[in-house]
């Protein structure tokens, strides 16, 4: 989780990722932030995400993002 | 058929009456017939283009539904998109013909095709070509949106709708508000904008365009509501935005969402785009290099947005100017955060918010004025009473828009619909001395 939080902080350092549960639903992460995150996840975890992956279900919280990364890597 | 004509009012009255009586057991089929009649009124030849779009879209989507993987579906998607985009670009560039609403229904059917391509379940794809035809040609939204997605609109279109006083009063109020914005404000000031000095012209044009475009959308949403159908909202008080990104989330929202979901996101998450980051980092350093692919994607998306508005150079310039300002604004986000940390009380104040709103309005007015064809369309001059009327009407719209969000009820809606009809009758720019003008966005 620490590695992911560090990645997320590079995208937007002003968000409390440990407690935020509506990153997409409440537009906390905007579309440009999301794309930056896609690039960061590619360079950090070597996973490629498609436009249809960028949903609240997958990206609303750090925990969900981590689960999604694990799913993609498996 | 122009929304602001007596023919349209008569057409709407007949459609609504028949929809809830003689055709209450075949409502969507009747709406399709009404939409075809509405479209044919602008010229029978135009039906050919929309028919080709519907048929090719339907066949390609059904073929994709029978296949499992994206790889297998891709040739069908490419073939159908080539036909749709081909028709759009050919007619935009050659100007041989320009069927009304072409840009809007092309984007709607493209979203349907791409959703069918991405769908995990082939059952999500429509089996009835006439239902797809209604989605493509539904007359209230055909000419200038709002652009709908099939997944959200299908239930609204195809479920039966019983007559409801609440829907009718809400629909009439929304239609009256739209006519008020168009006939009292936009049509009064639009013809004289080019005769004004530059900064005033840019600001007046921004207000007039807002009244024209949102007025048309109000009529579209109101007409659909009259028939019990809820369309997606297209505006969220955009001139209260504090920066340009926020503005584009609140202005023409369905178009913005379309370009975000079907151009920006797929392009920026594509492997070539992601891989471009590595050489860019080597060339420009880590901080800038990782941003370059995103900047390129933003510019490509806004180039496409400009091109969608028209093939003329000023639309492309307008699109690229928006892209450039969004990139600069995005890159200044960190400085803005630092400023907020240094001056927390100032940046949290209402005065600072007001400053940001005015700044965004001025910036958008400046970019908007790049659409100089409309800025130059002028000849007449307005008298003091006309300016006063337009000014007071604008204030009325500002306050009424706030009021209707808080106090919406069937009685309130009906009362204000009546008030606005009277105001339009007294102060509207119509009749002798005025020509019926189409809504600006129907040109696209």
């Amino acid at each position: 989780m620490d590695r992911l939080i560090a990645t997320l902080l590079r995208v937007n350092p002003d968000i409390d990722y440990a407690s935020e549960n509506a990153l997409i639903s409440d537009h906390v992460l905007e579309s440009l932030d999301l794309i930056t995150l896609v690039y960061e996840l590619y360079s950090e975890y070597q996973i490629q995400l498609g436009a249809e992956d960028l949903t609240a279900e997958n990206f609303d919280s750090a925990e969900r993002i981590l689960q999604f990364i694990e799913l993609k890597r498996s | 058929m122009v929304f602001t004509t007596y023919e349209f009012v008569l057409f709407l009255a007949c459609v609504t009456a028949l929809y809830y009586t003689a055709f209450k057991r075949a409502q969507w089929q009747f709406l399709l017939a009404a939409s075809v009649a509405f479209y044919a009124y602008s010229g029978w030849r135009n039906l050919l283009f929309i028919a080709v779009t519907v048929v090719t879209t339907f066949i390609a989507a059904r073929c994709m539904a029978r296949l499992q993987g994206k790889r297998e579906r891709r040739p069908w998607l490419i073939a159908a998109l080539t036909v749709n985009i081909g028709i759009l670009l050919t007619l935009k560039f050659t100007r041989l013909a320009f069927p009304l609403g072409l840009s809007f229904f092309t984007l709607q059917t493209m979203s349907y095709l791409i959703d069918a391509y991405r769908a995990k379940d082939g059952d999500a794809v429509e089996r009835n070509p006439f239902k797809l035809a209604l989605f493509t040609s539904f007359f209230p939204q055909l000419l200038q949106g709002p652009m709908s997605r099939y997944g959200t609109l299908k239930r609204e279109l195809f479920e039966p709708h019983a007559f409801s006083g609440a829907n009718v009063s809400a629909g009439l109020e929304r239609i009256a508000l739209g006519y008020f914005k168009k006939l009292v404000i936009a049509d009064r000031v639009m013809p004289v904008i080019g005769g004004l000095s530059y900064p005033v012209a840019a600001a007046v044009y921004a207000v007039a365009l807002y009244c024209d475009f949102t007025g048309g959308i109000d009529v579209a949403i109101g007409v659909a509501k009259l028939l019990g159908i809820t369309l997606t909202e297209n505006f969220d008080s955009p001139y209260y935005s504090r920066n340009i990104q926020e503005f584009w989330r609140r202005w023409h929202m369905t178009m913005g969402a379309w370009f975000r979901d079907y151009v920006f996101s797929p392009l920026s998450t594509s492997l070539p785009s992601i891989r471009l980051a590595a050489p860019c980092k080597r060339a420009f350093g880590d901080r800038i290099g990782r941003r370059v692919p995103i900047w390129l994607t933003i510019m490509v998306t806004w180039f496409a947005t400009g091109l969608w508005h028209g093939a003329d150079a000023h639309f492309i310039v307008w699109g690229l100017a928006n892209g450039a300002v969004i990139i600069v604004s995005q890159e200044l986000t960190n400085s803005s955060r630092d400023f907020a940390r240094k001056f927390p009380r100032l940046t949290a104040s209402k005065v600072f918010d007001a400053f940001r709103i005015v700044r965004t309005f001025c910036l958008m007015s400046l970019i908007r004025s790049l659409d100089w064809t409309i800025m130059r369309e002028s000849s007449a001059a307005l008298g003091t009473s006309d300016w006063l009327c337009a000014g007071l009407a604008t204030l009325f719209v500002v306050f009424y828009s706030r009021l209707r969000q808080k106090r919406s009820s069937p009685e309130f809606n009906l009362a204000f619909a009546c008030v606005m009809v009277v105001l339009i009758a007294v102060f509207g720019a119509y009749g002798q001395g005025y020509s019926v003008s189409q809504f600006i966005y129907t040109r696209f």
Side-chain angles (χ1 to χ4, degrees), chain B residues 138-150:
Chain B
F138 183 46
F139 74 90
Q141 61 169 34
L142 178 61
L143 302 186
Q144 58 180 338
M147 290 174 209
S148 300
R149 309 283 172 93
Y150 192 71

PDB file of all heavy atoms in Angstrom, chain B residues 138-150:
ATOM      1  N   PHE B 138     -34.497  11.212 -32.463  1.00  0.00           N
ATOM      2  CA  PHE B 138     -35.487  11.767 -31.526  1.00  0.00           C
ATOM      3  C   PHE B 138     -35.537  13.296 -31.679  1.00  0.00           C
ATOM      4  O   PHE B 138     -34.559  13.983 -31.395  1.00  0.00           O
ATOM      5  CB  PHE B 138     -35.117  11.350 -30.102  1.00  0.00           C
ATOM      6  CG  PHE B 138     -36.084  11.798 -29.058  1.00  0.00           C
ATOM      7  CD1 PHE B 138     -37.460  11.656 -29.232  1.00  0.00           C
ATOM      8  CD2 PHE B 138     -35.628  12.368 -27.881  1.00  0.00           C
ATOM      9  CE1 PHE B 138     -38.352  12.068 -28.256  1.00  0.00           C
ATOM     10  CE2 PHE B 138     -36.514  12.781 -26.906  1.00  0.00           C
ATOM     11  CZ  PHE B 138     -37.872  12.637 -27.092  1.00  0.00           C
ATOM     12  N   PHE B 139     -36.670  13.827 -32.126  1.00  0.00           N
ATOM     13  CA  PHE B 139     -36.685  15.197 -32.660  1.00  0.00           C
ATOM     14  C   PHE B 139     -36.294  16.320 -31.684  1.00  0.00           C
ATOM     15  O   PHE B 139     -35.682  17.293 -32.113  1.00  0.00           O
ATOM     16  CB  PHE B 139     -38.037  15.501 -33.341  1.00  0.00           C
ATOM     17  CG  PHE B 139     -39.203  15.713 -32.408  1.00  0.00           C
ATOM     18  CD1 PHE B 139     -39.510  16.978 -31.924  1.00  0.00           C
ATOM     19  CD2 PHE B 139     -39.998  14.643 -32.024  1.00  0.00           C
ATOM     20  CE1 PHE B 139     -40.581  17.176 -31.065  1.00  0.00           C
ATOM     21  CE2 PHE B 139     -41.075  14.832 -31.166  1.00  0.00           C
ATOM     22  CZ  PHE B 139     -41.366  16.100 -30.679  1.00  0.00           C
ATOM     23  N   PRO B 140     -36.599  16.233 -30.364  1.00  0.00           N
ATOM     24  CA  PRO B 140     -36.188  17.377 -29.535  1.00  0.00           C
ATOM     25  C   PRO B 140     -34.673  17.574 -29.496  1.00  0.00           C
ATOM     26  O   PRO B 140     -34.184  18.696 -29.463  1.00  0.00           O
ATOM     27  CB  PRO B 140     -36.731  17.014 -28.143  1.00  0.00           C
ATOM     28  CG  PRO B 140     -37.806  16.010 -28.382  1.00  0.00           C
ATOM     29  CD  PRO B 140     -37.372  15.252 -29.594  1.00  0.00           C
ATOM     30  N   GLN B 141     -33.915  16.479 -29.501  1.00  0.00           N
ATOM     31  CA  GLN B 141     -32.461  16.606 -29.328  1.00  0.00           C
ATOM     32  C   GLN B 141     -31.696  16.459 -30.638  1.00  0.00           C
ATOM     33  O   GLN B 141     -30.470  16.523 -30.646  1.00  0.00           O
ATOM     34  CB  GLN B 141     -31.959  15.564 -28.337  1.00  0.00           C
ATOM     35  CG  GLN B 141     -32.205  14.133 -28.790  1.00  0.00           C
ATOM     36  CD  GLN B 141     -31.463  13.107 -27.933  1.00  0.00           C
ATOM     37  OE1 GLN B 141     -31.297  13.304 -26.745  1.00  0.00           O
ATOM     38  NE2 GLN B 141     -31.017  12.051 -28.557  1.00  0.00           N
ATOM     39  N   LEU B 142     -32.415  16.285 -31.738  1.00  0.00           N
ATOM     40  CA  LEU B 142     -31.759  15.987 -33.013  1.00  0.00           C
ATOM     41  C   LEU B 142     -30.887  17.143 -33.509  1.00  0.00           C
ATOM     42  O   LEU B 142     -29.799  16.935 -34.053  1.00  0.00           O
ATOM     43  CB  LEU B 142     -32.839  15.653 -34.058  1.00  0.00           C
ATOM     44  CG  LEU B 142     -32.387  15.356 -35.479  1.00  0.00           C
ATOM     45  CD1 LEU B 142     -31.484  14.138 -35.520  1.00  0.00           C
ATOM     46  CD2 LEU B 142     -33.576  15.129 -36.382  1.00  0.00           C
ATOM     47  N   LEU B 143     -31.336  18.367 -33.319  1.00  0.00           N
ATOM     48  CA  LEU B 143     -30.672  19.496 -33.964  1.00  0.00           C
ATOM     49  C   LEU B 143     -29.469  20.051 -33.198  1.00  0.00           C
ATOM     50  O   LEU B 143     -28.526  20.537 -33.784  1.00  0.00           O
ATOM     51  CB  LEU B 143     -31.671  20.627 -34.215  1.00  0.00           C
ATOM     52  CG  LEU B 143     -32.884  20.267 -35.075  1.00  0.00           C
ATOM     53  CD1 LEU B 143     -33.702  21.500 -35.366  1.00  0.00           C
ATOM     54  CD2 LEU B 143     -32.453  19.589 -36.365  1.00  0.00           C
ATOM     55  N   GLN B 144     -29.530  20.026 -31.859  1.00  0.00           N
ATOM     56  CA  GLN B 144     -28.403  20.610 -31.128  1.00  0.00           C
ATOM     57  C   GLN B 144     -28.147  19.937 -29.780  1.00  0.00           C
ATOM     58  O   GLN B 144     -27.531  20.516 -28.901  1.00  0.00           O
ATOM     59  CB  GLN B 144     -28.616  22.111 -30.917  1.00  0.00           C
ATOM     60  CG  GLN B 144     -29.883  22.446 -30.180  1.00  0.00           C
ATOM     61  CD  GLN B 144     -30.034  23.952 -29.993  1.00  0.00           C
ATOM     62  OE1 GLN B 144     -29.064  24.699 -30.043  1.00  0.00           O
ATOM     63  NE2 GLN B 144     -31.239  24.397 -29.768  1.00  0.00           N
ATOM     64  N   GLY B 145     -28.591  18.719 -29.632  1.00  0.00           N
ATOM     65  CA  GLY B 145     -28.354  17.982 -28.405  1.00  0.00           C
ATOM     66  C   GLY B 145     -29.435  18.261 -27.364  1.00  0.00           C
ATOM     67  O   GLY B 145     -30.470  18.834 -27.712  1.00  0.00           O
ATOM     68  N   PRO B 146     -29.249  17.874 -26.114  1.00  0.00           N
ATOM     69  CA  PRO B 146     -28.047  17.251 -25.574  1.00  0.00           C
ATOM     70  C   PRO B 146     -27.794  15.867 -26.173  1.00  0.00           C
ATOM     71  O   PRO B 146     -28.727  15.176 -26.521  1.00  0.00           O
ATOM     72  CB  PRO B 146     -28.345  17.139 -24.065  1.00  0.00           C
ATOM     73  CG  PRO B 146     -29.831  17.186 -23.954  1.00  0.00           C
ATOM     74  CD  PRO B 146     -30.310  18.008 -25.093  1.00  0.00           C
ATOM     75  N   MET B 147     -26.488  15.537 -26.290  1.00  0.00           N
ATOM     76  CA  MET B 147     -26.131  14.229 -26.841  1.00  0.00           C
ATOM     77  C   MET B 147     -26.355  13.171 -25.784  1.00  0.00           C
ATOM     78  O   MET B 147     -25.894  13.322 -24.656  1.00  0.00           O
ATOM     79  CB  MET B 147     -24.653  14.209 -27.205  1.00  0.00           C
ATOM     80  CG  MET B 147     -24.306  15.047 -28.381  1.00  0.00           C
ATOM     81  SD  MET B 147     -22.524  15.022 -28.536  1.00  0.00           S
ATOM     82  CE  MET B 147     -22.271  16.599 -29.297  1.00  0.00           C
ATOM     83  N   SER B 148     -27.064  12.131 -26.154  1.00  0.00           N
ATOM     84  CA  SER B 148     -27.369  11.082 -25.174  1.00  0.00           C
ATOM     85  C   SER B 148     -26.596   9.812 -25.490  1.00  0.00           C
ATOM     86  O   SER B 148     -26.177   9.601 -26.621  1.00  0.00           O
ATOM     87  CB  SER B 148     -28.855  10.787 -25.186  1.00  0.00           C
ATOM     88  OG  SER B 148     -29.583  11.936 -24.865  1.00  0.00           O
ATOM     89  N   ARG B 149     -26.438   8.999 -24.461  1.00  0.00           N
ATOM     90  CA  ARG B 149     -25.869   7.663 -24.652  1.00  0.00           C
ATOM     91  C   ARG B 149     -27.031   6.673 -24.685  1.00  0.00           C
ATOM     92  O   ARG B 149     -27.999   6.838 -23.926  1.00  0.00           O
ATOM     93  CB  ARG B 149     -24.931   7.287 -23.502  1.00  0.00           C
ATOM     94  CG  ARG B 149     -23.869   8.332 -23.182  1.00  0.00           C
ATOM     95  CD  ARG B 149     -22.732   8.298 -24.178  1.00  0.00           C
ATOM     96  NE  ARG B 149     -21.833   9.424 -23.939  1.00  0.00           N
ATOM     97  CZ  ARG B 149     -20.750   9.368 -23.161  1.00  0.00           C
ATOM     98  NH1 ARG B 149     -20.449   8.250 -22.537  1.00  0.00           N
ATOM     99  NH2 ARG B 149     -19.993  10.424 -23.013  1.00  0.00           N
ATOM    100  N   TYR B 150     -26.900   5.652 -25.500  1.00  0.00           N
ATOM    101  CA  TYR B 150     -28.005   4.715 -25.649  1.00  0.00           C
ATOM    102  C   TYR B 150     -28.376   4.059 -24.314  1.00  0.00           C
ATOM    103  O   TYR B 150     -29.555   3.898 -23.998  1.00  0.00           O
ATOM    104  CB  TYR B 150     -27.639   3.636 -26.685  1.00  0.00           C
ATOM    105  CG  TYR B 150     -28.831   2.816 -27.078  1.00  0.00           C
ATOM    106  CD1 TYR B 150     -29.828   3.370 -27.846  1.00  0.00           C
ATOM    107  CD2 TYR B 150     -28.985   1.501 -26.639  1.00  0.00           C
ATOM    108  CE1 TYR B 150     -30.951   2.645 -28.202  1.00  0.00           C
ATOM    109  CE2 TYR B 150     -30.102   0.758 -26.991  1.00  0.00           C
ATOM    110  CZ  TYR B 150     -31.081   1.341 -27.767  1.00  0.00           C
ATOM    111  OH  TYR B 150     -32.200   0.631 -28.102  1.00  0.00           O
TER     112      TYR B 150
END
